[in-house]
Amino acid sequence: MNKLFTGDNLYILHGLNSESVDLIYLDPPFNSKRKFDAPIGSKAAGASFEDMWNWSDVDSLYLEEIINNYPFLVQFIQTIGRINGDSMKSYITYMTQRIIEMKRILKNTGSFYLHCDSTASHYLKIVCDRIFKKNNFRNEIIWKRLNVSGKESQYKKKKYSSNTDIILFYTKSDDYFINPYRKLNEDEMKIKFPYGKFPNRYKLGTRLFRSTTAGPRPNLCYQWRGFKNRSEAGWALSKERLEEEYQKGNIVIKNEKSLERRSYEKDYKGEPISNIWDDLNEWTKNERTKFPTQKPLSLMKRILLTSSKENDVVLDPFCGCATTCIAAQQLNRKWIGIDISEASSKIMIDRLSDDSALFKDFINIKSPPKRSDIKEVPVSNILRQEIYTNQKGQCNACDLQTDLRHFELDHIIPRSKGGGDYFENYQLLCSSCNRIKGDRPMAYLLLKIQKINKLHKYELSFS
């Protein structure tokens, strides 16, 4: 079942099962310090958001995970605040919280595409390098989003026009699916393979002999079917490979003096896709909603065709006007869309409803999901003893060591904020720490007892 969730994407991500998604694409706000409004009368009328950030946008419930598991990122974010101000610091913290959850949700064979621009791409890349590990970085893709130059002004220009965005491509491991080839249409195929007739059209392949400037290669100097190498540089292939290509029909003996190496369209995988995407179509008339920051279907389809297979699950946690969901539906992928805006939800439903074939198997949910990959554990003496053992007899906040009977059971993420009764969300606190924490997040308690300063030797401000 395809699902559209309306609400805070962090809470919704927290409710999705671990390793349940094959591909994640996100096009979040860029911290551009602009307000975006869709024009009255357009399909997206009413959609609006301010791409400006402050610390109130950061969810304090989930700060503890960054503090404890990614201390380098906390230091990095503090440095961003000093260099670029509190707005950028808040934005990068906001994004870091969500990227951590997305990594948990992504399958080990999955791919992750983060759409951004030069405002914060350099900061976001370091965040992703740390969360996904830098060896799982695959590409920085440059997408040309406009086919026009920048607007003219009465003032003298002092910089180049900007008409590209950046897409950071990461995977979770070395075991992932990718098919980086573009299928050509029939007219392109005729140009690509100008000789012969369908379905056996062909083009002349690469050279059979190495360039004389490449230097002597005695091991590639040999006689084959009456033909000799033309220079000391030798053949381009070993004798075994040359015979193999001949048997496949890719080497043709035209006459006693002439050879021809061919590439047939039946063996053609497609045009290799580089990391510069300047060949994609813009929006068609029917798909344009004038939703702020809408992306064209052609962009989404390229990502889906390159990094997913039919029936794979695609997640867009900032889905806006549903472009990713529509592309996934048209390409026979399952999808999950999340957006905080009620207006966005209405636009999505309207777009999906325009095509009855798209609208089937689609539900709109306005409450966070509940994970099914972890079991709820009832409170018991056995549970308390297991947690006590895991914490080595210490309070999970102040490290006070005492008998089990002096500890109180607590939820790391309060139940009132969506925290579940599962083992990973339980902890033992001394009575003093539990009173200080109340129903607030652990980050509040850790700051109160200055554990952060002790662990990381700096002050992290939540104000």
Side-chain angles (χ1 to χ4, degrees), residues 375-432:
K375 295 181 179 179
E376 291 196 350
V377 182
V379 176
S380 66
N381 290 331
I382 295 174
L383 172 67
R384 290 170 58 87
Q385 182 62 56
E386 188 174 352
I387 297 172
Y388 181 78
T389 301
N390 284 352
Q391 293 180 196
K392 299 179 180 179
Q394 295 177 324
C395 170
N396 203 36
C398 69
D399 296 336
L400 172 70
Q401 192 153 15
T402 186
D403 295 335
L404 173 59
R405 60 192 174 90
H406 296 300
F407 285 120
E408 298 175 3
L409 192 65
D410 177 67
H411 290 84
I412 297 172
I413 299 174
R415 278 182 291 189
S416 61
K417 305 297 184 181
D421 294 332
Y422 48 88
F423 185 81
E424 294 82 357
N425 197 40
Y426 283 123
Q427 65 180 346
L428 290 174
L429 298 177
C430 67
S431 58
S432 175

Side-chain angles (χ1 to χ4, degrees), residues 28-33 51 84 88 91-92 114-125 140-143 145 159-168:
F30 294 167
N31 194 29
S32 63
K33 297 179 175 59
D51 191 11
N84 216 318
M88 185 63 76
Y91 172 72
I92 296 298
L114 170 56
H115 198 130
C116 47
D117 71 359
S118 58
T119 306
S121 61
H122 45 307
Y123 297 139
L124 289 170
K125 185 178 186 302
E140 180 180 85
I141 298 163
I142 308 300
W143 172 55
R145 54 183 163 80
K159 66 176 185 177
Y160 300 109
S161 300
S162 177
N163 63 351
T164 61
D165 282 352
I166 296 163
I167 303 173
L168 301 175

Side-chain angles (χ1 to χ4, degrees), residues 435-462:
R435 298 298 177 274
I436 296 171
K437 177 178 179 290
D439 64 351
R440 290 177 285 258
M442 272 298 288
Y444 171 85
L445 172 60
L446 294 176
L447 279 172
K448 277 291 185 181
I449 62 176
Q450 297 184 339
K451 186 174 182 179
I452 295 171
N453 289 344
K454 177 182 175 183
L455 289 176
H456 309 304
K457 297 182 176 63
Y458 58 81
E459 181 180 355
L460 178 64
S461 172
F462 291 111

